[in-house]
């Protein structure tokens, strides 16, 4: 006897969240994304159907395969994936789960999706991104992009594609926004006592440095 999974027929497509790298075609006429794990070699468009990453001919998602698009239920969980070093330059995607899907405790595996919104992570300097520039890697026929601010884009000579322009090339009403800048300076959550202690430590180090410098001068 085969096990039959519960059937769902929602009135509205479920919403999910995932991370992916923005991509631009070689000729600059198409924009899309590529995943960070399984299926990362297959760039996809804003509205697209999943294909089996193993080259099998069955429809995704197949119960005996792990093919198909993947996403999680909670935005916070997807944001947590951006903390790992290899995913720092990825973007956060909000998607509509379309077609057949398999529901799991933490998310979905599904046949088709529409990327509704993209949040681009800050530039490497911490400033909010104003565009997307060549990340230095890609897939055949596609260049990977990463968020960059105007200052860093000009300083490195990398030509950046404005966020609005990326959305226009991608089409399908995609919304692209920039995540807030990363605050510079002291770590968040430090109060006056902690800051005073940090200042005292810095002053002590400066005093030690000056004393060592004076000793070296006396020897000279």
């Amino acid at each position: 006897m085969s096990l039959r999974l519960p059937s769902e027929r929602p009135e509205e497509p479920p919403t999910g969240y995932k991370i992916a790298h923005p991509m631009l075609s070689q000729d600059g006429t198409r924009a899309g994304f590529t995943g960070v794990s399984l299926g990362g070699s297959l760039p996809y468009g804003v509205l697209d159907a999943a294909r089996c990453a193993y080259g099998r001919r069955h429809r995704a998602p197949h119960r005996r395969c792990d093919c198909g698009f993947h996403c999680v239920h909670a935005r916070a969980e997807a944001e947590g994936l951006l903390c790992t070093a290899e995913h720092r330059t990825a973007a956060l995607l909000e998607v509509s789960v379309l077609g057949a899907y398999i529901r799991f405790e933490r998310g979905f595996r599904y046949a088709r999706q529409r990327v509704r919104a993209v949040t681009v992570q800050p530039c490497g300097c911490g400033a909010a991104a104003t565009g997307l520039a060549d990340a230095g890697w890609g897939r055949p026929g596609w260049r990977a992009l990463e968020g960059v601010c105007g200052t860093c884009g000009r300083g490195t000579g990398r030509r950046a594609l404005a966020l609005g322009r990326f959305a226009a090339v991608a089409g399908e009403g995609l919304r692209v926004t920039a995540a807030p800048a990363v605050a510079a300076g002291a770590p968040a959550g430090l109060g006056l006592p902690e800051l005073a202690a940090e200042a005292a430590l810095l002053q002590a180090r400066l005093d030690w440095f000056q004393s060592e410098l004076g000793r070296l001068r006396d020897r000279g």
Side-chain angles (χ1 to χ4, degrees):
M1 184 177 69
S2 61
L3 177 64
R4 299 183 65 86
L5 298 175
S7 178
E8 297 185 25
R9 298 186 182 276
E11 295 182 359
E12 297 290 336
T15 296
Y17 301 91
K18 62 194 302 181
I19 65 172
H21 295 285
M23 307 288 285
L24 186 68
S25 64
Q26 182 179 358
D27 59 7
T29 61
R30 292 177 295 159
F33 306 91
T34 190
V36 298
S37 56
L38 178 68
S41 60
L42 302 174
Y44 54 85
V46 173
L47 178 62
D48 213 337
R51 304 179 297 278
C52 181
Y54 303 108
R56 299 168 183 166
R57 296 183 178 180
H58 55 237
R59 292 183 179 180
H62 196 277
R63 288 177 55 189
R64 297 184 179 179
C65 185
D66 52 4
C67 61
F69 290 124
H70 296 72
C71 72
V72 295
H73 298 305
R75 180 187 181 98
E77 186 169 355
E79 289 175 333
L81 299 175
L82 295 169
C83 294
T84 60
E86 62 270 27
H87 299 157
R88 291 287 177 90
T89 60
L92 176 68
L93 276 56
E94 177 185 314
V95 302
S96 290
V97 176
L98 306 175
Y101 61 81
I102 300 174
R103 180 188 290 270
F104 297 94
E105 180 181 358
R106 298 172 60 184
F108 298 98
R109 182 161 63 90
Y110 50 103
R112 298 175 62 243
Q113 76 176 4
R114 179 189 297 274
V115 182
R116 300 201 308 249
V118 177
T119 304
V120 178
Q121 297 308 296
C123 177
C125 70
T130 58
L132 291 161
D134 193 333
W137 61 276
R139 300 285 184 260
W142 293 84
R143 294 187 178 93
L145 306 177
E146 63 182 7
V148 64
C149 70
T151 301
C152 291
R154 290 190 298 269
T156 59
R158 293 189 297 172
R159 185 176 180 181
L161 186 70
L163 301 184
R165 179 57 184 165
F166 179 84
V169 174
E172 300 292 341
L174 180 68
R175 305 190 310 274
V176 182
T177 57
V182 177
L190 294 184
L192 183 59
E194 291 83 3
L195 291 175
E198 289 289 336
L201 179 60
L202 290 174
Q203 184 62 50
R205 289 177 176 174
L206 180 59
D207 292 342
W208 175 86
F209 177 78
Q210 289 177 334
S211 65
E212 289 295 308
L213 184 59
R215 184 172 58 84
L216 291 175
R217 285 176 177 173
D218 292 340
R219 286 184 178 179

